[in-house]
Amino acid sequence: MENGKFRTLQDELNSQDMVDGHVLVLNHFMSSLKSQAIRCACGLGIPAVLHRLGGSATVANLLDETGLHPSKLPYLRRLMRALTVSGIFAATRGNNITETVYSLTPASRLLVGDTTSSSMSVLQSQRPEKGFAMFFRMEEWFRDDGGAGTLFKMEHGVTSPWELAKENSDYNTGLNKSCVIDTSIVMDVLLRGPSADVFRGVTSLVDVGGGYGAASLAIVGAFPGIKCTVMDLQQVIGEAPDDGVVQFVAGDMFEFVPPAQAAFFKNVLDCWSDDDCVKILRQCKKAIAKRDAGGKVIIINVVVGHGPDNVAAKETQVFYDMYMMSIDGIEREEHEWRDIFIEAGFSDYKITPILGYQSIIEVFP
C-alpha cells in the first residue's frame, strides 16, 4: 500500500515494460495461427505455384494460378503478408510501388510439391484433431490426479499413437508416411557431408523402430556395403514396401534386438521413459559388437541445449518436448542422456549437434 492505495503489478512496470510484455503475451497467444496459415498456404498450393512461376509472383498471379475467386484477393494478400513476417516467404516491391512480389525462402522450398521430400506432406498427413487439438485440454490434464493417464489418452482414449495406429489403419498409414518424409529430409542432410562418417566402417546395422525403412534405404544408398535390418512392430512391417534392399523383421525391442555391428534409432527413444530407454539399450548392448570391433549405437534425437544458438532452434527443442509430453515421452538434456547410457551399461558417448534442433549421438559399449 502506498499513500493509502494498493499497488498493482502493473504499477510496478514502466510504460515500455508494459508495452513489451503485452506484445509478447499477445504474440504467443496468437502463434497457433502460424501453423494454420502454413497449412492453408500448402493446401492452396502456393509454394508449388511460386516454384512453377520461377520462384516469385504477385498476389494477383497467385490468385489466378490457384483458381481462387477474385473476392479473395485482399485476404490472400493478408495471408501472404503474415507468412512473410513469419519467414515462410520473402517479399520485395515490384515495378509498381504498391505491388508486392512474393518469393520462396529455404523454408517454403521444402513445402513445394507433394513428394517424399516435401515437408508439406507432413503438415497435411496429420490432421489437427489427431495432432494438436489435445493441447487445448492441457490445463485440464494438469489438474487431473493422474487417473486420466497421458494427455494423448485423455483425448483419444488410448495411451499412445502406436495403440491408436493398431486400431485405426488410416491413422497407422498416415503416421508411418509422415515418418518416412521426415526421415528422408533428415537423412539427406546427414549423408551429404562429414556427418556421414558416423556410418563409415559399419558393416551391419539394425534400424530399431525403423518404420518403412526410409533411413536404412538412405544409408544403403550411400554405403552399399552395409547390411541393414529394419525392426518394428508387425502392424508397421506388414505395410512396409519390401523391395529386397533391406531386411524387415517384426519384433518388440523391449524383448529382443537382432544382432548387428551397430544399432540405429531415429526419433524413437524420446518416445519412452528413462527406465524404458535403459531396457531398450540393454537389449542393444547384447545385440551389437564390442567397441574394438566397431560396435556402437547411433541415435538421432534432440539434445536440449545443443544446436544452433537461435530462438527458432531453441523453441523447437522445448516445444517438441512439450509435444512428446502428451505421450509421456521426453526430449532430454545431455546429463539426462548420460545417466541413461551409464545405467544401460555403456562406457562413453559423443554428441554431434549438426541436424538443426537435433543431434547425432554415438554411444559406445
Side-chain angles (χ1 to χ4, degrees):
M1 181 179 291
E2 184 176 299
N3 297 326
K5 294 174 62 179
F6 285 102
R7 287 175 58 83
T8 66
L9 289 175
Q10 290 187 7
D11 292 327
E12 298 173 7
L13 298 173
N14 62 41
S15 296
Q16 191 59 53
D17 287 340
M18 288 181 64
V19 170
D20 292 345
H22 178 67
V23 169
L24 183 62
V25 170
L26 190 58
N27 175 268
H28 286 300
F29 182 78
M30 302 189 73
S31 63
S32 62
L33 290 175
K34 291 182 184 180
S35 60
Q36 297 311 314
I38 296 173
R39 183 184 294 276
C40 175
C42 290
L44 294 174
I46 290 173
V49 168
L50 284 171
H51 179 67
R52 189 168 65 247
L53 295 178
S56 62
T58 64
V59 173
N61 296 146
L62 294 175
L63 188 84
D64 290 341
E65 292 292 325
T66 54
L68 298 177
H69 191 273
S71 65
K72 300 299 183 183
L73 180 64
Y75 305 106
L76 183 59
R77 179 177 288 111
R78 290 156 68 178
L79 175 68
M80 294 302 294
R81 181 176 60 186
L83 289 173
T84 297
V85 171
S86 299
I88 301 300
F89 299 109
T92 55
R93 288 296 180 191
N95 296 328
N96 182 340
I97 195 169
T98 63
E99 184 178 68
T100 302
V101 176
Y102 294 95
S103 57
L104 295 170
T105 64
S108 48
R109 286 187 184 280
L110 291 174
L111 302 174
V112 173
D114 189 15
T115 67
T116 55
S117 62
S118 169
S119 296
M120 183 183 73
S121 299
V122 177
L123 290 170
Q124 293 185 319
S125 61
Q126 295 298 324
R127 302 306 302 172
E129 62 272 15
K130 288 288 192 279
F132 290 93
M134 59 187 166
F135 286 98
F136 287 108
R137 303 184 67 185
M138 187 156 54
E139 179 187 348
E140 178 187 350
W141 178 76
F142 267 104
R143 293 185 181 281
D144 175 70
D145 61 6
T150 64
L151 180 59
F152 192 92
K153 184 176 182 179
M154 176 181 280
E155 179 70 16
H156 300 295
V158 292
T159 302
S160 71
W162 305 281
E163 289 184 62
L164 183 58
K166 194 172 183 178
E167 298 176 358
N168 186 321
S169 60
D170 289 339
Y171 182 81
N172 180 50
T173 301
L175 181 66
N176 287 300
K177 284 185 176 180
S178 294
C179 292
V180 168
I181 298 160
D182 178 72
T183 297
S184 297
I185 295 171
V186 171
M187 296 306 294
D188 184 35
V189 174
L190 191 158
L191 294 169
R192 281 186 183 188
S195 54
D197 287 344
V198 71
F199 299 109
R200 206 169 299 282
V202 175
T203 57
S204 63
L205 179 143
V206 55
D207 183 358
V208 186
Y212 288 176
S216 289
L217 288 169
I219 293 167
V220 171
F223 297 94
I226 299 180
K227 178 183 177 182
C228 284
T229 301
V230 178
M231 177 184 178
D232 213 315
L233 299 172
Q234 179 59 50
Q235 68 203 45
V236 178
I237 297 299
E239 291 190 351
D242 188 357
D243 57 9
V245 177
V246 300
Q247 180 182 3
F248 288 90
V249 175
D252 185 340
M253 61 189 173
F254 288 97
E255 298 178 359
F256 171 75
V257 171
Q261 183 185 20
F264 176 74
F265 293 87
K266 179 195 171 290
N267 298 123
V268 173
L269 296 179
D270 57 344
C271 299
W272 301 96
S273 69
D274 290 359
D275 288 343
D276 284 337
C277 285
V278 169
K279 294 174 184 176
I280 295 166
L281 288 173
R282 282 176 177 168
Q283 293 294 342
C284 287
K285 193 167 183 291
K286 296 176 186 176
I288 64 174
K290 302 295 183 183
R291 182 170 184 175
D292 58 8
K296 61 181 175 180
V297 178
I298 304 166
I299 301 169
I300 295 179
N301 249 138
V302 169
V303 181
V304 178
H306 285 252
D309 188 20
N310 61 60
V311 173
K314 292 178 179 179
E315 282 195 341
T316 300
Q317 289 183 341
V318 295
F319 284 123
Y320 213 109
D321 176 56
M322 288 195 66
Y323 185 81
M324 298 309 296
M325 184 174 74
S326 69
I327 60 171
D328 210 19
I330 179 174
E331 302 299 346
R332 299 174 172 89
E333 297 180 22
E334 180 177 352
H335 70 93
E336 295 171 307
W337 280 114
R338 181 176 59 246
D339 290 347
I340 288 171
F341 300 150
I342 292 172
E343 183 68 21
F346 289 82
S347 64
D348 197 10
Y349 67 92
K350 176 184 176 183
I351 297 174
T352 308
I354 60 168
L355 296 173
Y357 71 99
Q358 297 186 101
S359 295
I360 300 172
I361 314 173
E362 297 173 82
V363 191
F364 306 98

